[in-house]
């Protein structure tokens, strides 16, 4: 199984994640093509820099004519001494410096709504899976912002994360994530840093409000440096990846990448480390019981409510938002309620740590006056991916195993849909070809 581990001892931001992807073998052309597909007249500049003695990759985003003004190659000393006034100090972009008294409403690049960003991404010539991850990341940001301001998510106008550089960071990161084809992501606890940060809402202690909400339920700590280390973009990307947190798992590392932050503080490597390789099954001999056998029961939280007075449009929206916010599954079941009224039973399955946020989502967005909450046990088979070659291109196949025996084979739907559209053939033909290729 191909796995990846993120060392977030210096936090995580969008540009650090891009740098780590590139440093860990992702083809730069994949990111350049994703950025070009957005038609935002933006360009990536990639360079090698030094961070406290660690050679790492730094990614800059430039818009239009700003590319011509980009510095050629920063020296570590120059990078350390350069001052910025960007709101999020961890990964400032020189083309978005703000002056005192600036109001975001007067800057068209700093007020995009979620609808505008979603349409922008959907209009781009990108694989459906890349669009899905990018949109999910922005929806996660939107849910947090909406909660903070107590307004509907569609009325949220992103400021810093709605600027061109943040859109490019998220879309390019999504393209890199899918290019790696990682079966399972892992991550260390997140160092959020410390001190105060200036954001669109005023001056706040680190982490900023949206970042703090996105990190709800995740393992975080504050150490080493009084600066913002986890940005909203970085927190949203972590949420979208949904990694397993803890120590690095047993793995045979093939690639190691270091993504650089903008600052170069003394004796603190401001980098995100990404390790990619294969899970090392030899570390867990088959005759020894594993802590997570497929037949071991897992505890999940079930949130449930019945609704007979809510628009189907809102029900669909709540379902999509719940999935974007970390729900494991969402079900809408037709039911007959009191007085013979047809209604819908909304059931949300989630990890216990995600339950509080999803409770708030349902209570705020639906017409319910209460929820039923229970803890259930579930049993899951082990899952991994294989890549097969078909006449319609490479397709990922998900394999389910129980006690080492294959019990289910399923081609990835999005891969099959993309191939069917590209080759103008029936979707079921691509699915059948993928299964046949795997069985051979």
């Amino acid at each position: 199984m191909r796995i990846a581990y993120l060392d977030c001892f210096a936090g995580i931001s969008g540009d650090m994640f891009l740098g780590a992807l590139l440093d860990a073998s992702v083809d730069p052309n994949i990111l350049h093509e994703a950025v070009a597909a957005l038609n935002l007249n933006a360009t990536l500049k990639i360079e090698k820099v030094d961070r406290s003695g660690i050679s790492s990759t730094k990614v800059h985003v430039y818009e239009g004519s700003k590319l011509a003004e980009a510095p050629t190659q920063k020296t570590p000393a120059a990078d350390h001494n350069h001052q910025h006034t960007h709101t999020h100090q961890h990964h400032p972009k020189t083309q978005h410096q703000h002056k005192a008294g600036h109001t975001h409403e007067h800057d068209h690049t700093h007020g995009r709504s979620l609808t505008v960003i979603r349409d922008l991404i959907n209009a781009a010539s990108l694989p459906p899976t890349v669009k899905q991850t990018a949109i999910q990341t922005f929806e996660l940001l939107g849910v947090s912002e909406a909660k903070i301001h107590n307004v509907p998510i569609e009325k949220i106008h992103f400021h810093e994360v709605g600027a061109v550089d943040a859109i490019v960071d998220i879309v390019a990161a999504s393209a890199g994530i899918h290019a790696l084809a990682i079966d399972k992501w892992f991550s260390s606890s997140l160092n959020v840093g410390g001190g105060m940060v200036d954001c669109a809402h005023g001056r706040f202690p680190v982490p900023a409000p949206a970042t703090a909400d996105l990190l709800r339920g995740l393992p975080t700590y504050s150490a080493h440096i009084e600066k913002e280390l986890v940005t909203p973009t970085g927190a949203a990307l972590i949420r979208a990846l949904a990694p397993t947190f803890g120590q690095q798992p047993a793995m045979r590392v093939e690639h190691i990448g270091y993504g650089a932050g903008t600052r170069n503080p003394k004796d603190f490597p401001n980098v995100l480390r990404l390790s990619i390789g294969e899970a090392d099954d030899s570390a867990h001999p088959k005759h020894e019981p594993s802590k997570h056998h497929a037949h071991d029961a897992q505890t999940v939280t079930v949130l449930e409510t019945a609704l007979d007075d809510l628009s189907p449009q809102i029900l669909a929206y709540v379902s999509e938002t719940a999935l974007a916010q970390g729900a494991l599954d969402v079900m809408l079941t037709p039911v007959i309620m009191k007085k013979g009224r047809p209604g819908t039973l909304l059931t949300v399955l989630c990890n216990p740590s995600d339950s509080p946020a999803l409770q708030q989502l349902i209570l705020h967005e639906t017409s319910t006056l209460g929820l039923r909450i229970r803890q259930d046990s579930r049993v899951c088979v082990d899952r991994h991916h294989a890549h097969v070659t078909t006449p319609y291109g490479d397709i990922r196949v998900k394999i389910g195993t129980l006690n080492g025996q294959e019990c289910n084979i399923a081609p990835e739907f999005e891969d099959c849909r993309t191939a069917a559209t590209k080759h103008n053939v029936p979707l079921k033909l691509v699915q059948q070809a993928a299964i046949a290729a795997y069985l051979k």
Side-chain angles (χ1 to χ4, degrees):
M1 182 168 65
R2 188 170 174 81
I3 62 176
Y5 184 74
L6 289 165
D7 258 319
C8 302
F9 61 91
I12 182 172
S13 63
D15 54 345
M16 291 173 77
F17 188 72
L18 288 182
L21 289 174
L22 292 166
D23 215 48
S25 79
V26 171
D27 184 352
N29 289 326
I30 291 172
L31 304 193
H32 287 307
E33 289 169 5
V35 174
L38 290 169
N39 293 316
L40 288 174
N41 196 25
T43 310
L44 295 180
K45 183 178 185 294
I46 303 164
E47 63 176 338
K48 282 287 189 181
V49 297
D50 179 286
R51 292 292 178 266
S52 296
I54 301 295
S55 175
S56 49
T57 298
K58 182 76 180 75
V59 178
H60 307 269
V61 179
Y62 293 101
E63 296 178 54
S65 60
K66 293 292 182 182
L67 181 62
E69 303 169 15
T72 52
Q73 179 76 26
K74 295 181 188 177
T75 64
D79 184 72
H80 177 64
N81 293 326
H82 191 58
Q83 298 296 319
H84 296 269
T85 56
H86 190 276
T87 301
H88 289 295
Q89 299 176 12
H90 188 55
H91 63 311
K93 309 290 194 300
T94 54
Q95 68 272 31
H96 288 302
Q97 293 179 358
H98 299 162
K99 295 180 180 179
H102 173 79
T103 57
H104 291 296
E105 290 75 16
H106 293 198
D107 185 345
H108 70 90
T109 66
H110 280 269
R112 290 181 175 88
S113 68
L114 179 60
T115 300
V116 169
I117 293 173
R118 190 186 286 126
D119 290 344
L120 180 80
I121 295 171
N122 278 326
S125 179
L126 293 165
T129 50
V130 173
K131 292 181 183 181
Q132 182 182 10
T133 299
I135 290 172
Q136 179 192 8
T137 304
F138 271 107
E139 287 174 343
L140 288 165
L141 281 162
V143 167
S144 293
E145 289 283 1
K147 189 184 303 180
I148 290 165
H149 298 295
N150 195 29
V151 297
I153 188 171
E154 295 299 337
K155 291 188 178 180
I156 284 294
H157 281 251
F158 296 106
H159 298 293
E160 289 83 2
V161 293
V164 168
D165 52 357
I167 295 173
V168 166
D169 280 349
I170 289 173
V171 172
S174 301
I177 288 167
H178 288 283
L180 283 176
I182 299 298
D183 294 311
K184 188 166 181 58
W185 286 83
F186 296 84
S187 176
S188 70
S189 298
L190 304 160
N191 184 2
V192 298
M196 305 291 288
V197 61
D198 292 316
C199 60
H201 322 296
R203 191 165 177 81
F204 275 87
V206 168
T211 307
D213 188 72
L214 284 162
L215 297 178
R216 189 195 304 263
L218 304 186
T220 62
Y221 65 99
S222 174
H224 308 309
I225 192 167
E226 290 293 296
K227 298 293 181 183
E228 180 190 37
L229 297 185
V230 177
T231 65
T233 301
L237 285 169
I238 278 285
R239 271 289 182 192
L241 286 173
T244 297
F245 289 91
Q247 298 294 321
Q248 178 178 308
M251 62 187 294
R252 298 180 183 273
V253 177
E254 298 171 1
H255 303 284
I256 301 176
Y258 293 92
T262 297
R263 287 193 180 85
N264 188 19
K266 184 179 180 182
D267 299 327
F268 182 75
N270 189 21
V271 297
L272 173 69
R273 182 166 66 182
L274 170 61
S275 302
I276 300 170
E278 296 293 324
D280 185 8
D281 295 331
S282 65
H284 301 283
K286 294 185 182 298
H287 63 272
E288 292 184 5
S290 168
K291 292 181 180 180
H292 300 287
H293 276 311
H295 56 263
D296 289 344
Q298 303 170 6
T299 300
V300 293
T301 299
V302 180
L303 310 177
E304 195 171 73
T305 185
L307 303 154
D308 63 2
D309 58 351
L310 193 63
S311 161
Q313 294 172 319
I314 294 178
L315 278 170
Y317 165 74
V318 171
S319 299
E320 294 171 1
T321 306
L323 289 169
Q325 200 166 331
L328 300 171
D329 204 356
V330 178
M331 291 155 283
L332 299 172
T333 308
V335 293
I336 301 298
M337 299 176 62
K338 62 185 179 184
K339 300 182 180 179
R341 296 172 183 166
T344 302
L345 181 66
L346 170 64
T347 306
V348 176
L349 188 70
C350 65
N351 290 314
S353 61
D354 291 325
S355 177
L358 290 167
Q359 291 173 38
Q360 292 300 310
L361 170 69
I362 296 169
L363 292 171
H364 277 102
E365 294 288 353
T366 74
S367 54
T368 189
L369 298 176
L371 291 172
R372 290 180 294 280
I373 304 171
R374 63 179 183 271
Q375 306 301 318
D376 277 0
S377 296
R378 71 169 184 171
V379 173
C380 299
V381 299
D382 293 322
R383 285 162 284 183
H384 68 278
H385 283 89
H387 290 257
V388 297
T389 300
T390 74
Y392 315 105
D394 288 347
I395 303 292
R396 288 177 298 164
V397 178
K398 185 184 295 181
I399 300 102
T401 61
L402 183 63
N403 297 326
Q405 298 293 319
E406 291 185 1
C407 59
N408 195 21
I409 302 168
E412 283 290 352
F413 174 77
E414 292 296 344
D415 289 6
C416 294
R417 180 168 68 174
T418 300
T421 302
K422 181 179 179 180
H423 293 273
N424 194 27
V425 297
L427 174 62
K428 63 181 180 182
L429 188 62
V430 180
Q431 291 175 322
Q432 292 165 359
I435 292 175
Y438 177 76
L439 292 176
K440 287 180 181 178

